[in-house]
Amino acid sequence: MSRALDELRPVHFELDYVIYPEGSVLISMGNTRVLCNATVQDQLPPWLRYAKKRHGWVSAEYAMLPRSTAERNSRETVTPKGRTQEIQRLIARSLRGAVNLEKLGERQIMVDCDVIQADGGTRTAAITGGYVALALAIRRLEKRGTVGPGVLTQSVAAVSVGVVNGKAALDLDYQMDLNADVDMNVVMTGEGRFIEVQGTAEREPFGRGALNAMLLLAEIGIKELLVLQTEALARAKI
């Protein structure tokens, strides 16, 4: 590989890529590009609308465009498939970890993550970019006086790690993921706490040493991503 095992691919955030959403960002991690749009909706999902104790909510949808991959994928229409549902839930859980739902009030923020080009790490890029889109939307709500301060409680970012050719590696592209003995997705907060760890042995089971090495790399990568998120949001025109 052309980069060090503990090195991220080049990361770039293009803010307000779409002019209509309350928050929009195109995140690029190497050749993976995901468009993340955050939409504020002044209504709750039905299951929460009639709950005794109501609060805000953050949901997510995820999709891969038909030619985001080397060969065309069929477009998913109304009902997402199992893998897509799993990824959507992961993104939503991760982003809710950044929000005080009570302070958000009785409204929902929907974060749409559309993969326009896939080269590994699409779900982790969606979380990292989705947080920036979410933060933009919430900051704009605060500026309008729609919500008070403290809705956004902490930052969230995610990265993939794995074991490739017997060594722990950070931020796997498609080819690395294809050849990985182990692949893992890690989601962390800006406070250094884990939201989710998903790891799978593709071939032989892995030991505690490999697990520790991957988690250490994930922490290194996520710290870098958190800094890049902060720098991107500092450029935002709110």
Side-chain angles (χ1 to χ4, degrees), residues 59-155:
S59 297
E61 291 191 3
Y62 167 96
M64 296 183 69
L65 298 187
R67 276 314 303 266
S68 62
T69 52
E71 296 182 1
R72 184 184 185 279
N73 291 312
S74 298
R75 190 184 302 272
E76 290 187 43
T77 53
V78 179
T79 305
K81 298 175 184 176
R83 175 181 178 274
T84 301
Q85 280 189 328
E86 175 214 335
I87 294 172
Q88 289 182 169
R89 290 169 179 164
L90 169 65
I91 297 168
R93 282 195 303 271
S94 301
L95 297 182
R96 284 196 292 272
V99 176
N100 184 318
L101 297 175
E102 283 72 28
K103 290 186 177 181
L104 179 59
E106 294 186 18
R107 57 182 54 84
Q108 176 176 220
I109 301 179
M110 174 64 74
V111 182
D112 293 293
C113 302
D114 292 292
V115 179
I116 63 175
Q117 187 167 280
D119 186 31
T122 60
R123 70 185 71 187
T124 52
I127 293 166
T128 303
Y131 167 78
V132 176
L134 178 67
L136 285 172
I138 291 173
R139 287 186 182 186
R140 285 172 174 146
L141 288 176
E142 289 176 349
K143 185 177 181 181
R144 294 184 207 143
T146 306
V147 300
V151 175
L152 200 65
T153 59
Q154 60 191 339
S155 51

Side-chain angles (χ1 to χ4, degrees), residues 162-167 172-183 202-203:
V163 175
V164 183
N165 297 324
K167 296 181 180 179
L172 308 186
D173 60 26
Y174 176 74
Q175 196 60 44
M176 293 170 68
D177 186 67
L178 200 63
N179 296 312
D181 297 316
V182 182
D183 63 74
E202 299 292 348
R203 296 178 178 84

Side-chain angles (χ1 to χ4, degrees), residues 203-229:
R203 296 178 178 84
E204 292 296 319
F206 58 95
R208 178 62 64 87
L211 175 61
N212 291 343
M214 286 186 288
L215 290 177
L216 178 60
L217 276 186
E219 288 187 75
I220 291 171
I222 287 173
K223 284 180 181 177
E224 292 182 36
L225 290 171
L226 293 167
V227 170
L228 293 171
Q229 287 175 329

